[in-house]
């Protein structure tokens, strides 16, 4: 970047950090703008579960298919991630609370079993004049 090789740093929380712009004051590192990314391909076990759950929360609890597409677009090569996304989407309390309700049937089955056992009637109201 800018014709020079860039140093990749690691933050205290284990995220990779890459400086995106030149600082006007190189001695003041607080003014730098950085890009953070979690190394999903390098994680295993509970660390991978926690990272995928964090993505699920950060992107506002998307449907499992939407999060899978995002991860595929990021070219993440870890095959476990897709099953973890499904598992997290099924177990997430917030997703279960705000899940779209299944559509109700428009028409019900008739309860009559013999002819004239049940009669349908439309009620109409006529007002004089």
């Amino acid at each position: 970047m800018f014709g020079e090789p860039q140093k990749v740093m690691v933050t205290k929380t284990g995220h990779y950090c890459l400086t995106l712009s030149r600082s006007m004051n190189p001695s003041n590192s607080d003014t730098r703008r950085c890009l953070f990314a979690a190394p999903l391909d390098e994680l295993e076990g509970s660390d991978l579960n926690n990272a995928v759950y964090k993505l699920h929360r950060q992107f506002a609890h998307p449907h499992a298919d939407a999060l899978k597409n995002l991860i595929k677009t990021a070219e993440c090569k870890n095959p476990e991630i897709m099953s973890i996304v499904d598992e997290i989407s099924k177990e997430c309390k917030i997703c279960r609370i705000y899940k779209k309700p299944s559509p109700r049937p428009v028409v019900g089955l008739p309860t009559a079993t013999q002819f004239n056992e049940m009669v349908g009637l439309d009620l109409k109201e006529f007002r004089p004049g």
Side-chain angles (χ1 to χ4, degrees):
M1 187 160 37
F2 307 118
E4 301 173 6
Q6 297 295 309
K7 181 180 175 187
V8 175
M9 299 168 280
V10 179
T11 66
K12 293 177 190 174
T13 58
H15 293 90
Y16 291 110
C17 177
L18 176 67
T19 303
L20 295 179
S21 65
R22 294 180 195 195
S23 176
M24 298 304 283
N25 184 1
S27 63
N28 186 358
S29 62
D30 293 338
T31 60
R32 292 183 179 174
R33 288 180 277 164
C34 295
L35 170 69
F36 293 94
L40 288 178
D41 284 336
E42 300 171 10
L43 297 176
E44 295 177 346
S46 65
D47 291 336
L48 182 59
N49 284 344
N50 292 338
V52 174
Y53 183 63
K54 184 177 180 181
L55 284 176
H56 178 75
R57 286 180 309 170
Q58 280 181 330
F59 288 106
H61 301 271
H63 191 268
D65 294 334
L67 190 56
K68 285 180 185 180
N69 286 337
L70 178 72
I71 292 170
K72 284 179 192 174
T73 303
E75 298 179 2
C76 194
K77 310 266 188 292
N78 192 334
E80 293 179 51
I81 292 177
M82 299 307 170
S83 60
I84 293 172
V85 168
D86 286 331
E87 181 182 320
I88 286 174
S89 294
K90 287 178 188 172
E91 294 176 2
C92 180
K93 289 180 184 178
I94 294 172
C95 291
R96 283 190 282 164
I97 290 170
Y98 295 105
K99 179 183 171 186
K100 278 186 175 180
S102 56
R104 292 184 178 183
V106 177
V107 178
L109 293 173
T111 56
T113 56
Q114 296 178 358
F115 182 72
N116 275 343
E117 185 177 344
M118 185 179 288
V119 178
L121 178 70
D122 289 336
L123 182 62
K124 302 210 181 212
E125 198 173 307
F126 292 103
R127 294 186 183 173

